Amino acid sequence: GAVVSQHPSRVICKSGTSVKIECRSLDFQATTMFWYRQFPKKSLMLMATSNEGSKATYEQGVEKDKFLINHASLTLSTLTVTSAHPEDSSFYICSAGRLAGVFGHEQFFGPGTRLTVL
Amino acid sequence: AQTVTQSQPEMSVQEAETVTLSCTYDTSESDYYLFWYKQPPSRQMILVIRQEAYKQQNATENRFSVNFQKAAKSFSLKISDSQLGDAAMYFCAYRRGSNFGNEKLTFGTGTRLTIIP
C-alpha cells in the first residue's frame, strides 16, 4: 500500500506555456501533500505544502503565482507551472502524507516529473 | 531553522563490505524524527530507515542500521554486506515532531554511494 503516482513522468514544453503536473495517492487519503524540486545531482528543495481544501503554504523564495498548487481532494494535488521558462526545467517530486501511528505522519513519494522547457 | 549536513558527497565500497554514511543535524527541538532515504537512478525516493528522537535504541532494518547520537546530533547509516542494488544517492532527512501531520522534511545534500563489484 501507500502508492503515490505522478503524471506526466516527462513533459517538454515551449517557453511561455503552462504545464500541469498531477500527484495522486492511489490507496490512501493524504492529509497533506508536498511539492519538491530537484536540480541535477542536488538535494530536494521543498517548494510548498498543501492541505486539502486550503491554500498552499509556500517556502520562502518560491513564487506562488508562478507555481500554482491546487489540492482539491484528499487524493489529488496539482502543480501548475505558469508561463514556463527554461530556468524552470527541473525534476519535480510530490509526496503525500499519511498518519502513521507512532511516527505521527509519514510521507510517501511519487516517482517524479521531469520538466524541460525549450 | 533546522539544518541537515552530509559531509561526504561521494562514497564507494566493495561489494559485501560495510560502509557508513555520515549525517549531522542542528535543531533546538526535542521532539523530532530522522530518516535515511535512498534515491536510485530511477529517481524514486525510497525510505530506508527511520528513528524517533526519544528512542535511545538505534533503529535496524535488515542490513541497514543507524548510529544515533542525540547529544552530538549525529545520525549515521551503516550498510552491511553491501550489494550492487545499494548503489544510489542517500539522503539524510529531519522532521519535527507534530500531531498535525503536516511537518516538512528537511534534507541533507546527499551522498552518492558506488558499489564496486
Side-chain angles (χ1 to χ4, degrees):
Chain A
V3 177
V4 177
S5 69
Q6 274 184 251
H7 179 80
S9 57
R10 288 174 177 264
V11 58
I12 301 173
C13 68
K14 292 184 178 180
S15 186
T17 61
S18 294
V19 174
K20 180 184 285 188
I21 302 170
E22 291 187 350
C23 176
R24 292 181 184 271
S25 56
L26 298 184
D27 50 2
F28 67 99
Q29 292 184 326
T31 52
T32 305
M33 286 187 171
F34 303 83
W35 287 95
Y36 297 86
R37 183 173 181 176
Q38 186 178 31
F39 290 104
K41 299 185 179 181
K42 296 293 185 182
S43 188
L44 280 72
M45 181 191 78
L46 180 67
M47 299 175 67
T49 303
S50 72
N51 294 291
E52 183 259 343
S54 61
K55 289 184 177 180
T57 301
Y58 290 81
E59 294 297 297
Q60 192 172 10
V62 178
E63 300 176 63
K64 58 184 177 183
D65 294 330
K66 173 81 170 171
F67 300 100
L68 300 179
I69 291 172
N70 182 274
H71 193 160
S73 75
L74 286 172
T75 59
L76 173 65
S77 177
T78 60
L79 168 67
T80 301
V81 184
T82 62
S83 186
H85 290 284
E87 57 266 29
D88 299 323
S89 298
S90 191
F91 193 70
Y92 293 87
I93 304 174
C94 75
S95 70
R98 183 184 73 173
L99 293 176
V102 67
F103 290 100
H105 159 254
E106 183 174 353
Q107 287 189 33
F108 299 92
F109 287 84
T113 296
R114 180 174 301 284
L115 169 63
T116 302
V117 185
L118 302 176
Chain B
Q2 295 80 21
T3 58
V4 178
T5 302
Q6 292 179 250
S7 59
Q8 306 154 315
E10 296 183 354
M11 292 282 285
S12 61
V13 62
Q14 292 280 148
E15 193 176 2
E17 296 296 307
T18 295
V19 64
T20 298
L21 308 184
S22 301
C23 173
T24 58
Y25 60 95
D26 188 26
T27 183
S28 58
E29 302 285 341
S30 58
D31 181 20
Y32 56 89
Y33 304 95
L34 297 164
F35 306 84
W36 278 98
Y37 283 90
K38 169 184 177 180
Q39 188 180 41
S42 68
R43 308 290 292 269
Q44 173 74 57
M45 295 289 284
I46 301 166
L47 177 64
V48 175
I49 198 165
R50 57 193 174 193
Q51 175 82 41
E52 303 131 287
Y54 66 85
K55 279 194 175 180
Q56 291 186 341
Q57 186 174 7
N58 290 321
T60 299
E61 289 286 344
N62 300 315
R63 298 183 295 107
F64 299 88
S65 61
V66 298
N67 184 1
F68 174 46
Q69 301 290 325
K70 191 171 183 179
K73 294 181 181 174
S74 170
F75 183 62
S76 61
L77 174 69
K78 185 172 82 171
I79 305 174
S80 303
D81 185 26
S82 297
Q83 300 176 359
L84 294 177
D86 295 333
M89 278 290 283
Y90 285 81
F91 293 100
C92 179
Y94 166 99
R95 196 190 85 220
R96 193 174 68 174
S98 169
N99 293 326
F100 301 105
N102 60 353
E103 293 297 333
K104 64 182 181 181
L105 287 166
T106 300
F107 288 92
T109 51
T111 298
R112 180 169 300 281
L113 178 65
T114 301
I115 311 296
I116 303 167

